[in-house]
Amino acid sequence: MTQAHDNAAHPADLAPGDEHVEGGSIGQRVLGYVVGLALAVLLTATSFFVAGTDLVWQPSIPVALVVLAIAQMGVHLVFFLHITTGADNTNNVLALAFGILIVTLVMAGSLWIMSNLNHNMMPMDQLMQMQR
Amino acid sequence: MTDATMDAHGDPNRVREIAELTMTNPGPAPKRIVTGYGFWIFILSDMIMFSAFFATYAVLLGQTAGGPTGRELFDLRNVAIETGFLLASSFTCGMASIAADMRSKTWFYLAMAVTCAFGVGFLAIEGNEFASLVARGAGPTRSAFLSAFFSLVGLHGLHVSAGILWLLTMMAQVFAKGFRADIQRRFLCFALFWHALDIIWIAVFTVVYLLGSAQ
């Protein structure tokens, strides 16, 4: 956080996206983004490599891709959006946690229900037979 | 301090002893935190909307109606370039945040212009991809899978387009009004939005392109 935004009344809160650096110089802040960029490039490159390779056991590839994507989202959250586990970020993290809960429910719920329906649904030609 | 005390006086919900108030309650949060937090909630609801589109895509992934599958359609080299563009633009957007805090107009314009260029480049590649898919007869009307693909990736593209308009507006506002506190708050929201788009793109290239072409 720089002089521009610090606030004596609220030493314990940070706006989402604001950065808390102890005596943060420009160099330190740029370094944070460079580290984030390097990690993100590494994870992206690994994702694209894993997706097209024959070197690993094939059924593990989707799982590996999902794990790599979640890791990269974490990198972006910490280094670019500055959503961290610090005490000054509790509100932001709790909102994020609630968002993740709803996203998980929507995604997993839809996939579960639809695959269940798919599984239980009679093939179309049999259904037509019954209607005759 | 004095501001907080005066605000507390004006607010009927906070009629308390000033001494007690200043000891236990530091008063309303600064506007920057309120604005940023509110916009953070918006971004999270936007992600929830995206999750519905992702769920639709995942459910309809196999419903190609005898048409082309992702493996036949997707060009991963293009997707890698798009990913690089968006990642680089996220980085330069971070540089613009630092420039805005330092109140350096030159660096701010430079970083924002590069961010804009990467964003436009991303949209150009995506537009090209969409046009070539439609030309090959794999438009959104071909199958449920392609409808879901165009909705999801197109929705992200719309967000990027809106982001670029916002980016240009921010440059114009800094030009016309300088780094005022309210302009800084708007820029905070813009930076959150732009970084969030990159997070959504991570999910898009993983789920749509990498997992989609593995099918």
Side-chain angles (χ1 to χ4, degrees), chain B residues 69-154:
Chain B
T69 61
R71 183 195 277 279
E72 296 155 29
L73 290 176
F74 299 149
D75 178 3
L76 289 188
R77 211 173 51 87
N78 268 351
V79 180
I81 298 172
E82 281 179 284
T83 307
F85 275 16
L86 219 50
L87 189 54
S89 82
S90 220
F91 176 76
T92 54
C93 179
M95 297 299 105
S97 303
I98 298 177
D101 284 347
M102 298 304 148
R103 295 166 198 272
S104 156
K105 280 198 175 179
T106 319
W107 284 106
F108 179 79
Y109 292 140
L110 182 68
M112 288 292 264
V114 177
T115 308
C116 182
F118 278 124
V120 170
F122 170 87
L123 279 180
I125 298 176
E126 188 162 88
N128 232 343
E129 185 198 14
F130 280 10
S132 94
L133 284 179
V134 172
R136 279 188 281 167
T141 53
R142 179 60 189 86
S143 62
F145 157 67
L146 282 165
S147 305
F149 166 80
F150 276 92
S151 322
L152 173 55
V153 182

Side-chain angles (χ1 to χ4, degrees), chain A residues 73-108:
Chain A
M73 287 176 186
V75 167
H76 280 241
L77 279 175
V78 170
F79 289 95
F80 293 164
L81 285 113
H82 310 299
I83 303 293
T84 61
T85 50
D88 48 12
N89 242 304
T90 316
N91 288 345
N92 307 336
V93 170
L94 282 178
L96 175 69
F98 182 64
I100 291 174
L101 171 72
I102 303 296
V103 166
T104 313
L105 286 178
V106 169
M107 301 268 295

Side-chain angles (χ1 to χ4, degrees), chain B residues 1-12 14 21 27-29:
Chain B
M1 177 63 246
T2 44
D3 270 6
T5 325
M6 267 155 55
D7 282 356
H9 260 313
D11 184 351
R14 291 182 184 280
L21 190 87

